[in-house]
Amino acid sequence: MDMTVAKKKLGLKERYAVMTRGLDWTPSYQKMEDIYPYIAYEGIKIHDWDKWEDPFRLTMDAYWKYQAEKERKLYSVLDAFTQNNGHLNVTDARYLNTVKLFLSGISPLEYVAHRGFAHAGRQFPGPGPRVACLMQSLDEIRHAQTQVHAVSNYNKYYNGMHDFHHAHDRVWFLSVPKSFFDDAITAGPFEFMVSIGFSFEYVLTNLLFVPFVSGAAYNGDMAAMTFGFSAQSDEARHMTLGLEVIKFILEQDPDNVPIVQRWIDKWTWRGYRVLTLVAMMMDYMLPKRTMSWKESWEIYFEENGGALFKDLARYGIKMPQCAEQIALEKDHLSHQAWSTFYNYAAAANFHTWMPDEDEMEWLSAKYPNSFDKLYRPRYEFWREQAAKGNRFYNKTLPMLCQTCQIPMIFTEPGDPTKICYREVDYKGDKYHFCSDHCKAIFEHEPEKYVQAWLPVHQIYQGNCFPEGTDPTVEGFDPLAAVLKYYNLEHGRDNLDFDVSEDKKNFAEWRGQATKNI
Amino acid sequence: MDMTVAKKKLGLKERYAVMTRGLDWTPSYQKMEDIYPYIAYEGIKIHDWDKWEDPFRLTMDAYWKYQAEKERKLYSVLDAFTQNNGHLNVTDARYLNTVKLFLSGISPLEYVAHRGFAHAGRQFPGPGPRVACLMQSLDEIRHAQTQVHAVSNYNKYYNGMHDFHHAHDRVWFLSVPKSFFDDAITAGPFEFMVSIGFSFEYVLTNLLFVPFVSGAAYNGDMAAMTFGFSAQSDEARHMTLGLEVIKFILEQDPDNVPIVQRWIDKWTWRGYRVLTLVAMMMDYMLPKRTMSWKESWEIYFEENGGALFKDLARYGIKMPQCAEQIALEKDHLSHQAWSTFYNYAAAANFHTWMPDEDEMEWLSAKYPNSFDKLYRPRYEFWREQAAKGNRFYNKTLPMLCQTCQIPMIFTEPGDPTKICYREVDYKGDKYHFCSDHCKAIFEHEPEKYVQAWLPVHQIYQGNCFPEGTDPTVEGFDPLAAVLKYYNLEHGRDNLDFDVSEDKKNFAEWRGQATKNI
Amino acid sequence: MSTVFLALQTNEETRPIIEAILQDNPSAVVDEQPAMVKINADGRLVVRRQTIEELTGRDYDLQELQVNMITMSGNLDQTDDEITLFWKA
Amino acid sequence: MSTVFLALQTNEETRPIIEAILQDNPSAVVDEQPAMVKINADGRLVVRRQTIEELTGRDYDLQELQVNMITMSGNLDQTDDEITLFWKA
């Protein structure tokens, strides 16, 4: 018989080898250290770059194919959502404040991540990590773009989103996520990969994208569900890359272990502090609660991170020490954060409010050890005051932690009635910290962190007023000047949800959408 | 100079010629009349099939490309809608009854249209109409499938949709749309093209798919919006085909004009009568009204159809006479229909209800000449009776029109207080009609219409009970037996919306979706 | 002259198309309906490929309009460069 | 053994994939969350192309899973025939 046998296509592993290592070459007329100048100074020793392999074995051709499909789906849904007036289907208008926070706090980080992976990937002599970093870099700019597109629909109707990028670079609390990523991209390429690729992507992003986006879906926000899960489908790949990078570095040389352990310790804590915003989104800002911050933390950090560090134990890597303090904080984090934003509602680009009675009950049930004892009485007092017309807006400026840049709102580990306060004297100046972990990070790299652009210091130094402002004139209103600098309109973009234009407009529009007269 | 000039691609018109007429051949060993046996008997004379040209000049390659894109978009949106619990975003649970009506009354027609175009297209000796009919045939089966897919999500939660195809072939009022299409596909190929392609698609489908689907979008039904507009994007092409077919036939031979005029008269009236269901969907079943039936009729029939017949006047074609009666009915149609379904709610596969006070006001405003005088008092009486526990369910069987199969509910042209009643004696039997137009249609083809399967007659003849039913036993409940035959559950699939499981479940589920306790 | 019309879905893809139509048809009037945009014009309405391409900055095949078209009225003629809707009377 | 998991979007495309996973992994447990399905398994979870193909009646490329994957936990290894998630300890 003369059967023709079809030539077998290359298998996935061979295709991956051909499309990564097969496309690489060894430079002949330039020295390796000139081409990859940042690869040595962090002290990481790599002996064989070819040991790095993407476990998904994704090659660029397949990457474009599946990303294009994700984009087509995403934009079909976004278009239909807008066409359908989907914004009126969110549970209630308070929900929109999560969108504002997401857009101004998180989307700009996606863009910085894009830059970070483009930069770090360029520095690695191995083709495997270069291709993986290129894909992640493209993913991240996609996320920034799709988030901006998705939210642009909300921006047509609701306040506070009109100049999100301007806000990201200026508004006080946004210096927390901004400085976190700035810290990462100004590190060396290996530390960047551990900070973002491993600690942030593998250990922490689940907490941002999974339960929150799942919650957004059940709060009627099909746009957030769609961009969120579309982004998260890339994150699954990022997480794999993050885990792979750690294993690769650790397997290359035992000298790498203590360096990597320090980075893991630092970046787990740094990332956790940034997630303070997410904790409060989950527990306070989704009108329909789907999972508490504490439950999310237990599933995605304690259980999942626990399994991870048990697995990494064979390399000598340990669960970061900060996990102990985090465990103590999980009953308090979201409440302390929300209290702060309730206080500072006059200076934010979104609205805050006191939870209603049902929501208080939900919080009691989810936080039996802390809520009724410590936070409910405070809320009830504020609610009472607001009902009397004394809604409290804190107009003094808080002390910030030099490392995480969060106001000093956190309590002593084990004593939730006492503010935790640490300080360090360095070259004649005093620096303040919210915790032992932020203090330790500073102490290891003081020359980096003394440069921090702290919003409160900057306001006091007169750097956060519109150009030409004279703060010495009589009756000068510093808050008004700062809001102008933020490009926020007092009484429209800030203050309590109850007095907001958003609340009024949403009620009116939803009414129009359901009534015939 | 020796510039290389890129070879120009074929233009659209050349491509169309190559991909239609260019693919045709003249049969050599079979006679034309054997291959196309149905082409002569209707009396239509065609001299040059090549004069038929699709004005879109769509060829099969482009067809597949754009249809695939439509499908990708559609299923992305349907998936996201389901994932997001989109069904809870409809204005209120009454809306769902439009979906039930659509699925059992209209979707099966899409399937019959698919068969009709496959059959008619096969009969035309010209390659232009054959390709156009092939595309439309594929479109129609796509519509049937996407509608069933879209509605299958609702079927998981709400009653009355569980066996829509069974219902279509049995439930009394569904014989109206069913018999309409059966009438068309049992006609010759030219009459089929005029009935469906021109009269239904060009003159009437706008009224079904455009204002109703647009209204569904603003009643929160993203699924209906998406399948509706996706289908309608094909309809735009069908309409063009419908207009082209008429112009082509008329231009071929002056003898064709009176034949075509008769078909237009007949099918405009037949189609209009079927749209009675749509009139009531627009005015009563969309909780958020977006346009009244009367307004839709004025825009899409009077204005648009007026322009069309003015344009066709050059061929000697006139606006169908029935337009005069339709103009008189537009203030009454939806109200008379809704009253009927309110009466017969015990025997339907969806729920009915009395409009609330705001809705009555909207109806008054939209129908100043008729609503307050004729229909509001009736509704107020029924509402009062229902409040006293006497919600009226009519259990007698109505007389049906032999042609359109609608109960004799319509009033005399010009006298909305008197039921219109016409009759014809034919071969010793008496036949009843709702109007002069239905009577005239019968009289032209009595041998066709005496065969009508009229649900009321069939029930009386004992043909609509489950097999083995003995209607002579004591206490026999005919309605119960008929509902069993329909596969509808009494008390669940039928009766007033107010006492329905749908209402109760929707309220409970929406509550769960927004409350935290 | 009778009115011709073209109705398109309200979405990002049709925005520049509607803009192009308004630019090319002085008599065109936009009627915004729920989830759709109906463009009415007096007797004749032209959709020009070149104008869409100028507004979007990319190649455009007029057959793409199939995806977002909802309905229309009038006789139609389509070439590579234009879609024309018109009444003869 | 620690838990590995894979979370997928709740939609028509993932239904047969989830079914395949449950069929191939006796320890797999489904945790339905809003808009997503999380599948937990004890130490190891395998997604097999062949099982998906049997259930869907069409060719399936495991890389398609990229489109509907939300998150996962564990070391990963992907070949033409299987995606495996596992902990070594």
Side-chain angles (χ1 to χ4, degrees), chain D residues 6-20:
Chain D
L6 176 66
L8 300 173
Q9 298 207 47
T10 306
N11 62 31
E12 289 299 310
E13 288 175 8
T14 59
R15 276 206 307 177
I17 298 166
I18 293 161
E19 204 182 325

Side-chain angles (χ1 to χ4, degrees), chain C residues 56-85:
Chain C
T56 58
R58 70 166 179 99
D59 285 351
Y60 187 83
D61 185 330
L62 285 172
Q63 290 191 327
E64 287 181 37
L65 205 58
Q66 296 280 341
V67 176
N68 289 303
M69 202 184 288
I70 290 174
T71 182
M72 49 177 222
S73 171
N75 296 286
L76 183 135
D77 189 59
Q78 178 159 355
T79 66
D80 288 299
D81 298 319
E82 289 184 350
I83 296 174
T84 310
L85 284 166

Side-chain angles (χ1 to χ4, degrees), chain A residues 293-402:
Chain A
W293 163 256
K294 186 180 170 185
E295 288 165 330
S296 310
W297 184 260
E298 286 167 353
I299 294 170
Y300 291 105
F301 185 85
E302 294 182 3
E303 194 182 298
N304 185 29
L308 167 70
F309 284 104
K310 202 170 120 199
D311 195 72
L312 292 176
R314 67 183 185 277
Y315 300 111
I317 289 294
K318 295 195 197 85
M319 173 65 90
Q321 275 249 314
C322 62
E324 286 166 30
Q325 179 166 345
I326 297 174
L328 294 171
E329 284 189 5
K330 71 186 174 185
D331 274 321
H332 306 282
L333 188 71
S334 66
H335 318 306
Q336 296 180 355
W338 188 247
S339 297
T340 306
F341 278 93
Y342 184 78
N343 263 269
Y344 286 102
N349 59 342
F350 64 96
H351 305 296
T352 52
W353 56 85
M354 276 294 101
D356 68 22
E357 214 38 56
D358 279 358
E359 291 166 342
M360 294 255 207
E361 268 187 62
W362 183 87
L363 289 162
S364 295
K366 293 296 181 185
Y367 295 95
N369 303 327
S370 61
F371 186 74
D372 281 351
K373 198 174 150 211
L374 294 162
Y375 304 105
R376 187 193 277 268
R378 184 191 290 183
Y379 290 170
E380 283 172 350
F381 175 73
W382 280 336
R383 195 167 55 181
E384 218 171 87
Q385 290 298 308
K388 288 185 196 156
N390 301 326
R391 202 291 191 193
F392 179 56
Y393 295 109
N394 191 340
K395 294 192 180 180
T396 63
L397 299 181
M399 180 181 282
L400 304 182
C401 171
Q402 186 74 24

Side-chain angles (χ1 to χ4, degrees), chain B residues 356-372:
Chain B
D356 68 22
E357 214 36 57
D358 279 358
E359 290 165 344
M360 295 255 206
E361 268 188 61
W362 182 87
L363 289 161
S364 296
K366 294 295 181 184
Y367 295 96
N369 302 326
S370 61
F371 187 74
D372 282 351

Side-chain angles (χ1 to χ4, degrees), chain A residues 11-12 55-57 62 70 73 202 206 210 214 218 232-233 236-237 239-240 247 304 307 310-311 314, chain D residues 2 9 13 33-36 38 63-64 66 69-80 87-89:
Chain A
L12 188 60
F56 279 117
R57 280 142 196 135
K70 289 180 191 176
K73 277 173 182 267
Y202 199 98
N206 273 333
V210 183
S214 165
Y218 272 27
Q232 192 62 23
S233 68
R237 183 155 31 75
M239 289 163 59
T240 304
K247 292 194 294 187
N304 185 29
K310 202 170 120 199
D311 195 72
R314 67 183 185 277
Chain D
S2 309
Q9 298 207 47
E13 288 175 8
Q33 293 283 323
M36 65 179 234
K38 185 166 175 264
Q63 289 191 329
E64 287 181 37
Q66 296 281 338
M69 201 184 287
I70 291 175
T71 183
M72 49 179 224
S73 171
N75 296 286
L76 184 135
D77 190 59
Q78 178 160 356
T79 67
D80 288 298
W87 291 123
K88 291 186 183 164

Side-chain angles (χ1 to χ4, degrees), chain B residues 106-142:
Chain B
I106 295 166
S107 306
L109 302 188
E110 305 273 14
Y111 177 69
V112 184
H114 151 70
R115 291 176 52 196
F117 279 97
H119 171 74
R122 165 64 184 80
Q123 300 306 326
F124 293 126
R130 275 214 304 278
V131 169
C133 285
L134 170 61
M135 286 176 191
Q136 182 156 356
S137 169
L138 292 167
D139 291 340
E140 303 289 2
I141 202 165
R142 177 174 98 85

